Amino acid sequence: MNNLEFLIPIIFFVCIAYIIKAILESRTRAKLIAANSSEELIRSLLVSEEQQRRQTSLRWGIVLSCLAGGFALIQTFGYNDVTPGAIAVLLGATGVGNLAFYAIARNLPK
């Protein structure tokens, strides 16, 4: 358990950054609504945010699936230590995942 103590400040920092981001986004939305912006502008902002969230989920799903395949390849090849070959497999899997996302995202309707 003592080996994982360094994760506590990192997770704490990530939580604080996420809270600040959420507060800023909600304040921005509230100011847009309070400024009597056009309904079309608000609607287009909400639609673009929803589309961005979907694409982010799609990207991470593809990349993590490819990384899982990379780890499966490492297990199959029998790498027991961190070697340049094992790192190359993981980097290659990440690259393939990003390229797959790009190909899929290009064909999505806008």
Side-chain angles (χ1 to χ4, degrees):
M1 188 70 167
N2 291 334
N3 295 338
L4 299 177
E5 287 180 355
F6 70 94
L7 288 177
I8 294 172
I10 294 171
I11 293 172
F12 183 68
F13 175 74
V14 169
C15 290
I16 289 175
Y18 183 76
I19 289 169
I20 291 171
K21 178 183 178 274
I23 290 171
L24 288 176
E25 285 180 354
S26 66
R27 285 184 50 98
T28 304
R29 285 191 198 118
K31 285 185 179 184
L32 274 174
I33 293 171
N36 293 328
S37 299
S38 69
E39 185 177 324
E40 184 179 320
L41 174 66
I42 294 172
R43 188 175 309 228
S44 67
L45 286 174
L46 291 175
V47 167
S48 68
E49 284 181 10
E50 180 182 347
Q51 185 179 19
Q52 185 179 14
R53 270 189 244 118
R54 284 183 185 167
Q55 287 186 350
T56 301
S57 297
L58 176 65
R59 165 174 255 155
W60 280 108
I62 292 171
V63 169
L64 290 176
S65 297
C66 287
L67 276 174
F71 278 115
L73 284 174
I74 289 172
Q75 183 70 30
T76 302
F77 292 148
Y79 291 124
N80 292 328
D81 296 326
V82 178
T83 63
I87 294 171
V89 169
L90 293 179
L91 289 175
T94 304
V96 168
N98 280 318
L99 289 173
F101 167 75
Y102 176 74
I104 291 171
R106 244 181 46 189
N107 297 327
L108 289 176
K110 294 185 180 186

